[in-house]
Amino acid sequence: MHVTSVIDGSRFARAAATRQAILDAATELFCRNGYRFVSLRDIAAEAGITHPALLKHFAGKEELLGQVARRLDVASAATSTPLDALPFAAAARRQDAVPGFVPLFAALTGEASAASHPLHAWMRERAAELRSGRADAIAAGARRGLVAADRSADDEALRLTAAWDGLRMLRQYLPDRVDIAATLERHQELIAHPRGWVPPGTPSATEPSPPAPKLPPIAEEPSGPDAGYRTGRERRAKIVDGATALFAREGYGDTSLLDIATRVGVSKSALYHHFPSKDALLHEVMRERDRRIDDRGTTDPDASAADVLRSFADGAAANEAEQPGLIELYAVISSEATPRSHDAHAYFEHRFTVALDGFATLLRAAAKDGALPAHRDPEHEALWLLALWDGLQYQWLYDHASVDVAAQLRAHLADILPGGRA
């Protein structure tokens, strides 16, 4: 009986060690290459076992992803809550210390916003729980004087959660410009003041604000066969629309050119005539999205920098009402492309660089005009605004009913741009 127990214990220990090796390998590969670009055979090879041996422990890649995500989530959880400070920056430092947490959840937040994703329901529930817990922490902070009493705990928690998600994703593209914990720490200092607070004695503008600086568009001009002819343009547009729908629903990695050709109703050779590769088609899909966004830019040549910034909320409202599919496409592809090996990584790295620089330019102009108070740093506000906008789109995809992207952007911009012209 004793010998049998020893044998059983040894077998159990070996099985546990194998499962741990599989989970470690899956974590490494999901973070390095992205969930959609990793196979079970890849994970088995990384773990040093055979594919059949892996299947004795995990039924499929979806189960593995769930196990990895939950394990990292538990590892980053707080053990205690400080009483003399808000807990968010400290939580970000804990997450940074858990290998794989930040890159995995940066990708997962956007990828799982698609209803077809295996972890969609879990991530939706997790987002709701995070917002609720952070609202409680903000309310407790208000009672201790750490948060201004006029700030809505629920709204602040929503915007905090959104910006935090956005910061994680931006860090994958602009690691030298994004320090998540330091950015959250600065935000904690700012919400200690009432909404729209301006330090006493701060001068305001006495002259009309000059027009906002001209910012470069993100979109590029169309290119490729028949780009200038009506028949070619119509066929290309039909292919791009079909690819947009499939990329948003299934992700870029799980969509083939044959899938797109079948959906559009053209032969694969006809599709190749316009797009020689899936990479080329993806870039055209993203360029088309950017062109539509550029077309929504303010048309008032005399608008001040603050006016242009405030107009962003109107553009967000129009996108939500008229083109919700583009929001899902952007969320899924920008998150899926976080590994440097992805075909669209360089595109998003460029896009976020242009967007962040553009926001900073507008905010510096607003500060010079007296619309942005002196205690608000344009560089910090640019990063927070970009992260907030992207993160609000993720939150909206998980919860259409209670997340109003435009309203939350207006509330944030009213907070940081309280006065405008004197």
Side-chain angles (χ1 to χ4, degrees), residues 27-38 42 336 338-342:
T27 302
E28 168 67 22
L29 290 175
F30 289 158
C31 294
R32 185 199 312 160
N33 301 329
Y35 166 71
R36 297 183 188 277
F37 295 88
V38 174
D42 295 333
E336 181 184 308
T338 53
R340 297 196 66 84
S341 58
H342 194 282

Side-chain angles (χ1 to χ4, degrees), residues 306-329:
D307 291 337
V308 172
L309 287 162
R310 294 186 185 104
S311 75
F312 289 165
D314 296 330
N319 288 338
E320 182 180 322
E322 299 170 20
Q323 302 180 69
L326 291 183
I327 298 176
E328 184 170 355
L329 169 75

Side-chain angles (χ1 to χ4, degrees), residues 370-386:
L372 182 73
H375 72 290
R376 289 190 175 272
D377 172 47
E379 306 301 324
H380 166 84
E381 297 300 342
L383 178 58
W384 191 265
L385 178 58
L386 180 57

Side-chain angles (χ1 to χ4, degrees), residues 326-383:
L326 291 183
I327 298 176
E328 184 170 355
L329 169 75
Y330 175 83
V332 171
I333 302 299
S334 63
S335 296
E336 181 184 308
T338 53
R340 297 196 66 84
S341 58
H342 194 282
D343 289 339
H345 185 91
Y347 162 86
F348 281 105
E349 183 178 17
H350 168 74
R351 187 189 188 286
F352 289 132
T353 298
V354 172
L356 185 55
D357 290 344
F359 284 6
T361 297
L362 287 170
L363 285 155
R364 284 193 295 268
K368 187 176 181 180
D369 296 345
L372 182 73
H375 72 290
R376 289 190 175 272
D377 172 47
E379 306 301 324
H380 166 84
E381 297 300 342
L383 178 58

Side-chain angles (χ1 to χ4, degrees), residues 180-352:
I180 299 173
T183 305
L184 289 172
E185 198 152 39
R186 177 58 179 154
H187 179 72
Q188 291 176 176
E189 297 169 0
L190 291 169
I191 62 174
H193 300 295
R195 285 183 50 77
W197 179 77
V198 178
T202 298
S204 59
T206 57
E207 298 292 334
S209 298
K214 300 298 182 183
L215 303 178
I218 294 174
E220 303 172 13
E221 291 300 314
S223 60
D226 299 327
Y229 296 92
R230 179 180 176 183
T231 302
R233 288 198 306 270
E234 289 176 350
R235 188 178 294 115
R236 283 173 63 87
K238 188 176 181 182
I239 293 170
V240 170
D241 286 345
T244 297
L246 285 176
F247 288 162
R249 190 179 71 201
E250 304 295 339
Y252 173 72
D254 288 344
T255 300
S256 70
L257 287 178
L258 180 59
D259 294 333
I260 297 166
T262 301
R263 178 185 177 92
V264 174
V266 301
S267 67
K268 197 171 180 180
S269 61
L271 190 151
Y272 274 122
H273 172 71
H274 295 280
F275 301 100
S277 66
K278 193 169 70 162
D279 177 18
L281 178 52
L282 173 63
H283 280 75
E284 183 59 26
V285 165
M286 301 314 297
R287 279 195 293 266
E288 176 59 25
R289 177 191 178 274
D290 286 342
R291 280 194 289 273
R292 296 183 188 184
I293 290 174
D294 288 339
D295 289 343
R296 292 194 184 283
T298 179
T299 57
D300 181 0
D302 297 322
S304 68
D307 291 337
V308 172
L309 287 162
R310 294 186 185 104
S311 75
F312 289 165
D314 296 330
N319 288 338
E320 182 180 322
E322 299 170 20
Q323 302 180 69
L326 291 183
I327 298 176
E328 184 170 355
L329 169 75
Y330 175 83
V332 171
I333 302 299
S334 63
S335 296
E336 181 184 308
T338 53
R340 297 196 66 84
S341 58
H342 194 282
D343 289 339
H345 185 91
Y347 162 86
F348 281 105
E349 183 178 17
H350 168 74
R351 187 189 188 286
F352 289 132

